[in-house]
Structure formats: C-alpha cells, structure tokens
Amino acid sequence: MSTVKTDLRGLSAANSETSATGWLWWLLAAGLIVRILFMGQSGFANDVSSFEAWSMALASHPMSQFYASTSFADYPPGYFYVLWIVGHVWAAFGSHASIELLKYLVKVPAVLCDLGVGAMIFALVRRFSSDKMALAAAALFIFNPAAIFISASWGQVDSVSCGLALVGIYWLLRSDDAGESMALRYTLGAWLALGYSLLIKPQAAVMVPLFIAFAFASRERMAERLKNCGIGIAGAVILVFLLTLPFHPAADAFSWLYQKYNYGKNVYPFTSVNAFNLWSIKDAFWQKDSDAVFGVAQYIWGLVLLVAACALTIVRYLQTRTQRAFLESAVLMALAFFLLSTRMHERYVYDGLVFSIVCLPFARRYLVSALVYSFTLFVNLFYSLSYLDVMSHPVAGSTINAADMWPVVTHPLSFLNVAVFFVLGYAFLGQSAEPADEENAGIPLWMHARGWFDPREGLASMVWPLDYLLAAGLSVVSFIVSYVNYWLPTDKVFDEIYFARAAEEYLKGLYIYENTHPPLTKLIITFSTMLFGGLNGGDNSHGWRFMDVVFGAIAVALIYAFAKRLTRSTLFAGFAALLLIADGMHFVQSRIATPEGIVVVFALGTLYAFYRFWIASQSVVR
C-alpha cells in the first residue's frame, strides 16, 4: 500500500511538472503571435536601418572586411554572427528578396530570444517558488509591452545580450546543485554565456565582479569554486578571442576589440541619452558629461557612484552567501549601471527589469520594481520615438526643446526610477528583517519604517568591512572638502587672534593672554603649528588650522558609528555623516584655528562612549 502511495505522489508531481511546462509553451506561443503582429512596424527606424545595412554587408563581404565596408558600426563583433546568418538567409531569396522581408528577418533573433528569456525566468523563479509563481513571472515578461516594443517593433537586441547573461546566472546557480565534474561544466558554461553577452553589448559587464564573488560565497566549496571560476574566465577569454579573429588578425585582436568598445562608449558622450536616470532628474537630456561638478567631470562621478554601489552590493552578498542574495545583487548592479552611469540609453534598464521579475518570489518590493520599471521604460521608449520624430522632421519656428520635450513627465519619472533603486538597495543592504519574514507578516510595507528606530537597535554593531570602509571613506571626503584652500585667508580671522596667538605664546614660553578657556584645544593648535615647523615655518595659517581639518574628519567617522549603532541602518548612518559634511558650520569650524571643531569631537566621543557603556550594562550579550 505504501508503495502505491509513493508511486501516486511521484505521478502527481510528474503530472504537475508536465502541466506547468505545457502552460509555459502556451504562453510562449501566445507571446510569439503577439510579437509577429508588431514586427511590421518601423520602430526606431535608424536602428532597424542599421541592422539591415549590416546584414547586407555581412552577406556580401567576408567578416574581415565588414567594419571597413560599412560607414558606421558601433557594436563589437558578437551580434554580427547573428546578422551574418540573417544576411545570408535574406540573400538566399535572390531577386525575390525585398527590404520589407529583411525588416522582418533582422527582428527574428530578438523576438526568439524574448521567448528564451521568458523560459529562463520560468526556470529561475521555479527554483525558489511554485509553478504558478514561475508562470506568472514568465507571463509578466512575455506580455510586457516594453519588452514587446523593443524586440518586435524597435528591432533592438537587448533580449539577446540579457538572455545570455540570464543563462550564465542560471548555470552558476545550477553548479551549486551538481557534483564536482558537473559543477565545472555549469561554471564554464556560465562564463562562456557571460563572455558572449559582453561581446554583443557591454551592459552585463557589471556581472563580472558578481560572478567572481560567487566563488567566495561558499566556505565549504570555495577551493572548488575558485578553480572552476579560473577555468571559466579562461574559457570566456578564449571564446572572445576566437570570435574576434574572423574580424581582425590575432596579432592585436584584444587591442582592436578594446578600440571598438572605446569607440562605442564615446559615440554619445552625454549625461543621459534620453534615459530616465539620475542625470535627468534635474537637467535636460544630451548634456555633455565632461562638464565638471565640484571640479570633477560628471562621467567620473557616474563611474564612482557605480563602483561604490557595486562594491556595497557585493560586500553584502558575501556576508549573506545565499542564492537569493546573488540574484538580488544582480538586480541592484544592473540597475546601478543604468541609473548612476552617464551615456545611458533608455533601453539599458532592460536587464534590471528582467532580474527584478526573477526576484518576484523573494519580496513584494520586486513586483513593485518590475511594474515601475515596465511603466517608465515604456514611456521612455515613446519619448525616444518622439525625439527621433522631432529631430528628423524639424518645424521652422518651433519652440520645442528637443533635449527636454516633456519636462513634467521625464523628470518625475527619472526621480521615481532612482527612488525605487534606492529603496531596493536599502532593503538589501540593511540588517533589519525582511518584510516577508514571519515577524512582519500582515504588516503594511510602509509601517516597517518604525523598525528603523526601534530602541533595541542600539545593540547593532559596525559590520566589517562595509561600515568601516564607509566611515573611513566619508571621513576622507570631509578632510578633502575642508582641506582645499583651508589656509585662506592667511591672516588671523575671528577668534584666531586668541587661539593662534596662544600657540605662538606656548612656543615662545610667554604668558598665555587668553586664559578664560581650558588649555587643551590651544595645546592641540600648538601641536598643529609644530607639525609645520613651529616658529620656523609653521607659524602661519597652514600650521594653525591643520589639526582642525583633521578633527573635522574624525567627527564624521564618529557620527557614522554613533548613527549606525542607534539606527542599525547603513543608509541612515551614511546619511547622517553626509549631513555633517555638508553642514556650513562644520565646514567653517573645520578650517579655522578655534576650539569648536575640536571640542565637538571630544563631546561627541563622550556621548558615544557613555551610550556604549549604558547599552552594555543592560545587556547579557558577550
């Protein structure tokens, strides 16, 4: 009887799997039909025309002559293998071939990869949730208006590069389930897929450090993973080299490939190329990203923000070491690439949207994220089409600003995109319980903010290395901001006539004229003067004020540590430190030889030490 029950359960599970797979095929078939209905549209005509021209050139020239045979090609060679097939299929029709047919053919690869992405979403979501959730996630992508528009109407190939990155992520997770030999195959396959994705478009480059971090995320299998990772990277490099050879000789293949990426990067040297991201919250599109903010070019700021976001994400992933954290990291890093970097096009949020859908089983915020980015991307696509129409058919005397046509739409939606990203980042980087946890079940999402300031959070500790690096980094920022020209004006200002003078009197052994304040701050200013040579070179604005600059930076680190222990939030601790850095009074007091900037460090340190003692005296935690 027991055997019969076991067989029935196995049969039921098999039937359920067959049923789910069957429903997936129906979804894919319906998605294909919908896309076929839109393939006749011109979409973004410039891109469709480029794909058509490249296909014809590849059909009539050897690959080694392709780049020389076309007037414009800003892609690396990866996708040209696909267009080579498209061009030869079109040419096979001979005299019957038409441009209208070619317009359909160049869209076929992206449409088919759309369906592949839908299937991959189903497979990934199914690892963490039910068949119904997996089918719902697949449907959310397959019938997503923005995804349909990009591939079927526009003819763009984001689903190809994203699909390869998604395959790489899936195979990397599958390597966790397999034995040693299969784990190597899955890891190698993951790196090969990622390498080919990068040879098509550079968006997946942010996944490279995450794939490397995966090797360190298991203490038990670290040696095996590191070996597999090394083999995978070597395999990806070899694949890229071999795929580059038909287009360029081996002697300087990688140098030539770098030039292609560099050329593509510099085609649009603007803050935002119609993309609803950080750089379009306030300013119009198409602003030169070489313009400086606080003396630094905006493209450098974008790179710094992207590196910081990716570093924080990877550190948190390596603390958590779960497959869920791996996928959530992929979401944040893909979104950071689009939202924080300059030179972004509207479609570059595509990967972040797809990865958000993959994370639907983990928390409701990913459903919100997927819906928001679906909506804003769809609006962004129509904005770009409107921009193309305005630029292609200019109207004499028109007052339309082509770089900022819909300010009441584009700026708020840019802010919404960035805000959702920071909410996702806060939830991932924070140490508090997830909204989906049993402790918070049934509580509205907005009410979880009350937990950020729960008195129990006073037991929070600084997390190594994340909090220590942030505290040190923000202190360095404070030091740099205060250090710039701190010696100007060179004469004594305000109460420096007492305290800088006191340093001179100490060094000369004279009676201290100002005797209403205790001597410690005056002795520190004296020490500052001695660092620069004392009476023989340090008795000037450089010497008097330097230690105030140092103490101003120390205050920032103290504020960060205090705020982190009070709120248990990396976000709020960083915000508190940034508020102090940006405070005008702190800035002034960090640049003049007076007691206030020094006193505040000792006062704050006293409060911090007492708070630590007070909490420890009530705690049995060792």
Side-chain angles (χ1 to χ4, degrees), residues 270-325:
F270 306 103
T271 52
S272 177
V273 186
N274 291 334
F276 294 174
N277 66 1
L278 175 68
W279 304 98
S280 56
I281 291 178
K282 174 180 174 292
D283 298 323
F285 303 112
W286 301 94
Q287 307 300 305
K288 290 184 178 180
D289 67 353
S290 57
D291 294 342
V293 174
F294 299 118
V296 179
Q298 292 178 79
Y299 74 88
I300 297 294
W301 280 116
L303 183 61
V304 169
L305 290 172
L306 174 61
V307 170
C310 291
L312 289 172
T313 302
I314 288 176
V315 167
R316 184 60 176 148
Y317 163 58
L318 290 177
Q319 292 170 348
T320 308
R321 300 171 181 267
T322 63
Q323 292 193 358
R324 167 179 173 167

Side-chain angles (χ1 to χ4, degrees), residues 238-459:
I238 293 171
L239 175 67
V240 168
F241 176 74
L242 293 176
L243 292 177
T244 302
L245 285 183
F247 291 89
H248 193 80
D252 60 341
F254 285 115
S255 174
W256 174 84
L257 189 60
Y258 170 78
Q259 292 173 8
K260 291 303 172 188
Y261 282 111
N262 194 51
Y263 171 74
K265 172 177 68 72
N266 293 322
V267 170
Y268 301 101
F270 306 103
T271 52
S272 177
V273 186
N274 291 334
F276 294 174
N277 66 1
L278 175 68
W279 304 98
S280 56
I281 291 178
K282 174 180 174 292
D283 298 323
F285 303 112
W286 301 94
Q287 307 300 305
K288 290 184 178 180
D289 67 353
S290 57
D291 294 342
V293 174
F294 299 118
V296 179
Q298 292 178 79
Y299 74 88
I300 297 294
W301 280 116
L303 183 61
V304 169
L305 290 172
L306 174 61
V307 170
C310 291
L312 289 172
T313 302
I314 288 176
V315 167
R316 184 60 176 148
Y317 163 58
L318 290 177
Q319 292 170 348
T320 308
R321 300 171 181 267
T322 63
Q323 292 193 358
R324 167 179 173 167
F326 179 79
L327 291 174
E328 290 185 283
S329 298
V331 176
L332 291 172
M333 294 170 72
L335 290 175
F337 180 82
F338 170 76
L339 293 167
L340 304 181
S341 303
T342 62
R343 310 186 183 190
M344 292 293 109
H345 296 255
E346 64 291 306
R347 303 180 323 279
Y348 289 5
V349 73
Y350 189 95
D351 289 17
L353 166 61
V354 170
F355 297 159
S356 292
I357 295 174
V358 169
C359 290
L360 288 185
F362 303 145
R364 283 171 294 180
R365 62 178 176 271
Y366 290 108
L367 174 60
V368 174
S369 168
L371 294 175
V372 167
Y373 289 123
S374 296
F375 171 71
T376 58
L377 174 57
F378 194 64
V379 175
N380 208 163
L381 293 171
F382 273 94
Y383 178 89
S384 295
L385 279 179
S386 299
Y387 170 82
L388 177 64
D389 184 63
V390 169
M391 297 301 291
S392 303
H393 307 93
V395 177
S398 173
T399 59
I400 295 177
N401 178 8
D404 199 13
M405 296 185 299
W406 308 344
V408 296
V409 174
T410 58
H411 299 309
L413 290 186
S414 298
F415 176 80
L416 176 62
N417 276 350
V418 175
V420 170
F421 166 70
F422 276 100
V423 169
L424 294 178
Y426 169 73
F428 179 70
L429 296 175
Q431 300 178 60
S432 58
E434 296 289 345
D437 287 353
E438 191 174 312
E439 178 184 348
N440 295 309
I443 302 177
L445 184 61
W446 63 271
M447 293 183 66
H448 291 116
R450 294 192 299 185
W452 296 348
F453 295 104
D454 191 319
R456 293 174 299 172
E457 309 298 2
L459 293 173

Side-chain angles (χ1 to χ4, degrees), residues 19-21 23-24 27 122 125 130-140:
S19 175
T21 305
W23 277 108
L24 176 64
L27 286 176
F122 173 82
V125 172
S130 65
D131 289 346
K132 289 182 179 179
M133 174 67 81
L135 288 169
L140 180 57

